[in-house]
Amino acid sequence: MTYEEIRARAVNGDVVGVKGTGVFSKVIQVMTKEEYSHVAMFVWHGTGLWLYEFVEGRGYQCTPSSQWFEIRSKQKIFFGKAPVTVRGKPDEVLRASSSFRYGGNLIKRYGVLSLVKVWFAQIIKKDIPTHQKVCSTFIQFVWEACGFDLKQTADPGDIMRISTYYGDLVEFVPDLAGQS
């Protein structure tokens, strides 16, 4: 699926999953025993489509989706739908995801300790609250604000598995026309 096709389908709360190949991605994949190392969430602002995410080393990020896909064009990226409960509340998705945008610096930091909590939650199969977020717990926070309960602290694979339930995951294929 091309970027334009994804853009035409995406609604607030939908996600992309990344199967990263870098060192940090591999650490996350080993710790969580998942294929996916990163997730980000689509949010519309008027006619502009953005991807909101928490990125290691940088924290909370809002990137125009076209730029996000261009930057990550060499990675394996998959589009997934948010739960129906979330897709039906676009204003709530915008409000919950934007609460980090306008929060203080502490809330915007990447939660390295939260990574350990995500890993431990996968072992004990329970929800462990995280104050500082990582990519998956950020999406979990937004989805739960919309009324969808994940039952335990989510890792990127959990987010993408839920997305599979609401529709097939579709791989992003960069449009290489005109590129050498």
Side-chain angles (χ1 to χ4, degrees):
M1 176 178 279
T2 66
Y3 168 71
E4 289 304 323
E5 291 169 321
I6 291 172
R7 190 178 197 284
R9 292 175 71 179
V11 302
N12 282 6
D14 285 350
V15 294
V16 288
V18 179
K19 294 181 180 180
T21 57
V23 173
F24 199 77
S25 295
K26 292 299 180 191
V27 168
I28 292 170
Q29 290 164 333
V30 167
M31 284 179 65
T32 61
K33 297 180 183 162
E34 299 282 1
E35 292 179 85
Y36 294 94
S37 57
H38 186 69
V39 286
M41 185 177 58
F42 287 101
V43 179
W44 283 95
H45 285 270
T47 59
L49 182 60
W50 294 70
L51 274 157
Y52 282 27
E53 61 189 329
F54 269 77
V55 178
E56 63 278 351
R58 291 185 302 202
Y60 181 73
Q61 301 288 303
C62 307
T63 308
S65 59
S66 58
Q67 288 178 11
W68 190 95
F69 277 92
E70 187 177 314
I71 291 165
R72 294 177 178 263
S73 66
K74 300 213 184 307
Q75 295 181 317
K76 290 188 79 68
I77 301 169
F78 295 81
F79 169 78
K81 290 183 177 180
V84 174
T85 308
V86 175
R87 290 181 121 229
K89 296 182 178 176
D91 293 338
E92 187 61 27
V93 170
L94 178 59
R95 186 201 63 73
S97 61
S98 295
S99 67
F100 291 86
R101 186 177 202 175
Y102 304 111
N105 286 336
L106 186 59
I107 199 168
K108 293 179 184 180
R109 287 188 188 151
Y110 187 81
V112 176
L113 177 60
S114 295
L115 270 181
V116 176
K117 291 180 178 183
V118 168
W119 170 73
F120 189 62
Q122 299 307 306
I123 294 170
I124 65 171
K125 305 285 187 225
K126 294 198 188 266
D127 188 30
I128 301 173
T130 58
H131 299 289
Q132 288 185 308
K133 304 299 180 203
V134 295
C135 61
S136 55
T137 59
F138 166 66
I139 292 172
Q140 179 174 6
F141 170 83
V142 174
W143 284 5
E144 287 181 348
C146 295
F148 186 83
D149 186 11
L150 277 78
K151 307 287 186 228
Q152 78 178 46
T153 306
D155 67 33
D158 295 329
I159 299 295
M160 296 312 291
R161 247 187 317 286
I162 291 164
S163 296
T164 303
Y165 182 79
Y166 293 96
D168 293 333
L169 293 178
V170 182
E171 186 170 2
F172 163 67
V173 179
D175 180 8
L176 301 176
Q179 297 181 10
S180 52

